[in-house]
Amino acid sequence: MDLFLSEVFSFPTILFTIPLIVLLLFWLMAFAGLVDIEMFDIDADAQGDSAVGGWLETFGLNGVPLTVALTLVDIYAFALTYLIRKNVTPLFDGILSATAIGFVVAMFALIVAIPIAALSCKPLRKVFETHEAVSKSDLSGVICTVTTQTVTESFGQAASDDGMVYTVRANTPNDIRKGSRIVLLEYSTEHDSYIVASEAEVMAMSSTNL
């Protein structure tokens, strides 16, 4: 175990070890419902972001959340760097300096990791495919279940019974928590999210109107 830790925290493997730790922490928070996995996604229509989106498409890393693409690239680069450093770099001792070998290994691992990650992204695109058959503004009234710990004016996510995931927002303070049943009330094109209220609150308002 000590030998493994020494390897992964040595140059150049550490270049991918630290990002991998950060990404693992992010995924733990995502599974706990504390963050949205699409929070770092690039809006291709936003000024200045289209070039970055174009690069992702060029490398075949589009069609999945940015966090998924980065995680795949880093995992493969980490694994390749570890294996090369352990089995290949000793052959170059005395020919190149350790720093030079490290940079060559890191660049090689990254170059190889990107197309492998792109291949891995292909089957995942169906999972994250956005269905636009129905206009977003026509989904008012859809009942969903909150998947994040809270829903605020700037944060929140919910899933409908058919598995569709929506970015949702609500005025605070509120009683909406993870597992709460909510109703999509209005779509905000500016923020690409839905204004929501709890199912109980909507039913109460409906009863009052009657």
Side-chain angles (χ1 to χ4, degrees):
M1 187 63 180
D2 291 340
L3 180 60
F4 173 77
L5 291 176
S6 175
E7 289 285 344
V8 299
F9 285 102
S10 298
F11 183 79
T13 316
I14 194 173
L15 296 176
F16 303 106
T17 301
I18 293 176
L20 185 59
I21 293 173
V22 174
L23 287 166
L24 288 175
L25 292 174
F26 171 85
W27 283 109
L28 288 174
M29 291 190 292
F31 291 142
L34 299 175
V35 295
D36 183 350
I37 65 172
E38 298 181 355
M39 65 185 298
F40 298 115
D41 277 7
I42 297 167
D43 182 1
D45 296 327
Q47 184 176 4
D49 285 342
S50 57
V52 179
W55 277 108
L56 290 174
E57 185 173 359
T58 299
F59 289 127
L61 300 174
N62 60 312
V64 298
L66 182 60
T67 49
V68 173
L70 291 178
T71 300
L72 289 172
V73 170
D74 194 64
I75 287 175
Y76 290 128
F78 168 84
L80 287 168
T81 304
Y82 174 79
L83 292 173
I84 294 172
R85 185 181 186 279
K86 187 176 179 63
N87 299 296
V88 179
T89 54
L91 302 176
F92 294 91
D93 288 345
I95 301 175
L96 295 173
S97 67
T99 302
I101 294 174
F103 277 116
V104 170
V105 169
M107 289 301 299
F108 175 80
L110 186 60
I111 291 171
V112 174
I114 290 175
I116 298 176
L119 289 174
S120 300
C121 284
K122 287 184 178 181
L124 295 176
R125 287 172 185 159
K126 295 180 180 179
V127 178
F128 298 100
E129 182 179 359
T130 301
H131 300 277
E132 301 287 355
V134 179
S135 172
K136 292 182 178 180
S137 58
D138 293 335
L139 293 175
S140 298
V142 172
I143 298 175
C144 302
T145 301
V146 176
T147 57
T148 50
Q149 293 295 332
T150 59
V151 176
T152 68
E153 290 93 340
S154 59
F155 173 78
Q157 194 173 70
S160 60
D161 293 339
D162 62 2
M164 294 298 295
V165 177
Y166 302 96
T167 300
V168 296
R169 302 289 183 261
N171 293 326
T172 53
N174 59 59
D175 296 325
I176 300 175
R177 298 291 182 269
K178 186 174 183 178
S180 297
R181 297 286 282 176
I182 59 174
V183 180
L184 305 183
L185 299 180
E186 180 183 350
Y187 176 69
S188 170
T189 54
E190 181 181 356
H191 301 98
D192 191 24
S193 61
Y194 291 89
I195 306 300
V196 302
S198 67
E199 186 178 18
E201 185 179 354
V202 173
M203 291 179 65
M205 289 189 295
S206 299
S207 300
T208 302
N209 292 334
L210 292 176

